Amino acid sequence: MIKSENLNDILFYSLERAIKSYRQFAQRQLVKHGFNITIDQWLVLKTLHDNPEQTQHQVAETIFKDYASVTRIIELLVEKQYLVRTMHAADRRRFSLTLTENAVKLLDNMQPVIDQNRSLALKDINEMQTSQLQQLLNQIIKNTQSDSI
Amino acid sequence: MIKSENLNDILFYSLERAIKSYRQFAQRQLVKHGFNITIDQWLVLKTLHDNPEQTQHQVAETIFKDYASVTRIIELLVEKQYLVRTMHAADRRRFSLTLTENAVKLLDNMQPVIDQNRSLALKDINEMQTSQLQQLLNQIIKNTQSDSI
DNA sequence: CAAATATAATTGATATATCAATATAATTAT
DNA sequence: ATAATTATATTGATATATCAATTATATTTG
């Protein structure tokens, strides 16, 4: 019913739609499995679990989020008792961020759902296509980084 | 420096990064050219310009946004005097949304920048690759739509 | 026609994104 | 060693995303 320049033909529109669609899907699956956590909160936990010594700044860069957002997500994770903040031994500007046992269990329990989400979302797309897609996305990222303009 | 499952290998991480990177780039370009409007606000204006008779609900579906978000974006566009809301002649639940002259001029002035953003972001990616990318994205969208699960 | 249902839009609450300003602490440069 | 700079993190303001509840009007159904 929609005429004109046809949004569907615009690549970036599809990009936006695909990632939003995936995020909504992934979030629904988490809710469906009874996990009371957002995708973004999970991402922060996961990153800290993998690299515990990161500063919040590094976390933000790793997961491509704003510093302010990371501060606020971490606040929520502390409230939910998934993270403990303590003074950093060597640098008093920083905090040490430690996952609680609950958080570690949570990550373990979530991993199968996360894996399933990914494979369901990639149904009928083979490995070669996935890696081509990766390359194109990386090219777009390269083209749009601040310094490349 | 970052070990472990390596976020960069995860397709959806690249997807998220690519669209965020593009959005930030596009927004920077708008600011650089002196346009005082967000990408999302532009998208709403553009959609209404192309299909003036849409309900807000339809606008939301067309641009894949939440209804509540569309309500709020439209509020801002009315404040900025780019949109005029009037009672709809036939259906008193609706509003007629009309672009002001300023909005039409704005869209005209912005179009070259928008086009340039897209082609800069797609530098070194040819048409065939673009259309393959499109197809894969559409497959992901299909896989993750609510009803397909 | 009246009741039930559906549609259009808004509002409130919470989460995240972005930008700018600020506070502290650490590092460096003179 | 002090001053200037840099790094780490927070906070406030505004925009957008999401979910749930609400209001008003239209449409359908019995």
Side-chain angles (χ1 to χ4, degrees):
Chain A
M1 260 13 67
I2 298 303
K3 68 160 195 283
S4 93
E5 136 171 76
N6 215 331
L7 287 174
N8 289 307
D9 296 339
I10 296 169
L11 182 71
F12 296 101
Y13 175 74
S14 301
L15 250 185
E16 181 119 14
R17 227 178 133 104
I19 190 63
K20 272 196 190 176
S21 191
Y22 171 71
R23 279 184 143 266
Q24 291 169 357
F25 163 70
Q27 190 67 55
R28 275 197 309 274
Q29 296 298 109
L30 291 189
V31 170
K32 193 179 293 180
H33 285 82
F35 297 114
N36 178 28
I37 187 174
T38 68
I39 298 280
D40 292 308
Q41 291 166 9
W42 169 80
L43 189 55
V44 169
L45 276 187
K46 173 77 175 152
T47 305
L48 282 169
H49 184 250
D50 292 346
N51 295 79
E53 270 309 305
Q54 291 177 99
T55 63
Q56 294 186 192
H57 196 95
Q58 286 170 325
V59 169
E61 292 194 338
T62 302
I63 65 180
F64 207 61
K65 284 193 181 299
D66 191 76
Y67 311 133
S69 296
V70 169
T71 293
R72 284 160 184 146
I73 292 174
I74 286 175
E75 269 172 28
L76 294 176
L77 289 171
V78 170
E79 276 173 30
K80 288 185 172 183
Q81 311 205 358
Y82 289 134
L83 274 185
V84 176
R85 299 174 75 152
T86 49
M87 283 294 163
H88 190 275
D91 186 338
R92 299 201 311 181
R93 290 169 304 184
R94 302 182 44 179
F95 294 94
S96 287
L97 297 166
T98 316
L99 274 72
T100 63
E101 279 185 35
N102 267 347
V104 176
K105 273 186 220 155
L106 180 71
L107 287 185
D108 278 351
N109 293 336
M110 285 179 71
Q111 196 56 49
V113 179
I114 303 282
D115 292 341
Q116 193 196 33
N117 287 347
R118 289 177 186 154
S119 62
L120 284 174
L122 292 177
K123 187 164 161 293
D124 296 331
I125 301 179
N126 64 40
E127 280 220 10
M128 205 184 74
Q129 289 172 314
T130 309
S131 94
Q132 284 169 350
L133 183 46
Q134 279 270 12
Q135 277 179 31
L136 294 177
L137 294 174
N138 287 334
Q139 181 69 44
I140 291 174
I141 293 168
K142 188 180 157 206
N143 290 344
T144 51
Q145 305 264 289
S146 349
D147 43 315
S148 81
I149 306 295
Chain B
M1 258 15 65
I2 300 301
K3 69 159 192 282
S4 93
E5 136 171 74
N6 214 332
L7 287 174
N8 288 307
D9 295 339
I10 296 170
L11 182 70
F12 296 102
Y13 175 74
S14 301
L15 250 186
E16 180 118 13
R17 226 179 134 104
I19 190 63
K20 271 198 191 175
S21 190
Y22 171 71
R23 278 184 144 268
Q24 291 169 357
F25 162 70
Q27 191 66 56
R28 276 198 309 274
Q29 296 296 109
L30 291 189
V31 170
K32 193 180 292 180
H33 285 82
F35 296 113
N36 178 29
I37 188 174
T38 68
I39 299 280
D40 293 307
Q41 290 166 9
W42 170 81
L43 189 55
V44 170
L45 277 187
K46 174 77 175 152
T47 304
L48 282 169
H49 184 249
D50 291 346
N51 294 79
E53 270 309 305
Q54 288 177 102
T55 63
Q56 293 185 192
H57 196 97
Q58 287 170 325
V59 169
E61 293 194 336
T62 303
I63 65 180
F64 207 62
K65 285 194 180 298
D66 192 75
Y67 312 132
S69 297
V70 169
T71 293
R72 286 160 184 145
I73 292 173
I74 285 176
E75 270 172 26
L76 293 176
L77 288 170
V78 170
E79 276 174 30
K80 288 185 172 184
Q81 312 204 358
Y82 288 134
L83 275 185
V84 176
R85 300 174 74 153
T86 49
M87 283 293 163
H88 191 274
D91 187 338
R92 298 202 311 181
R93 290 169 304 184
R94 302 183 43 179
F95 293 95
S96 288
L97 297 165
T98 316
L99 274 72
T100 63
E101 279 186 37
N102 267 346
V104 177
K105 273 186 220 156
L106 180 72
L107 287 185
D108 279 350
N109 293 336
M110 284 178 72
Q111 197 57 48
V113 179
I114 303 283
D115 292 341
Q116 193 197 33
N117 288 347
R118 290 176 185 155
S119 61
L120 284 173
L122 292 177
K123 189 164 160 294
D124 297 330
I125 301 180
N126 63 41
E127 280 221 10
M128 206 184 71
Q129 289 172 313
T130 308
S131 94
Q132 283 171 350
L133 183 46
Q134 280 269 13
Q135 278 179 29
L136 294 177
L137 294 173
N138 287 334
Q139 181 69 43
I140 291 174
I141 293 169
K142 188 180 157 207
N143 290 343
T144 51
Q145 304 265 286
S146 352
D147 43 314
S148 79
I149 305 295

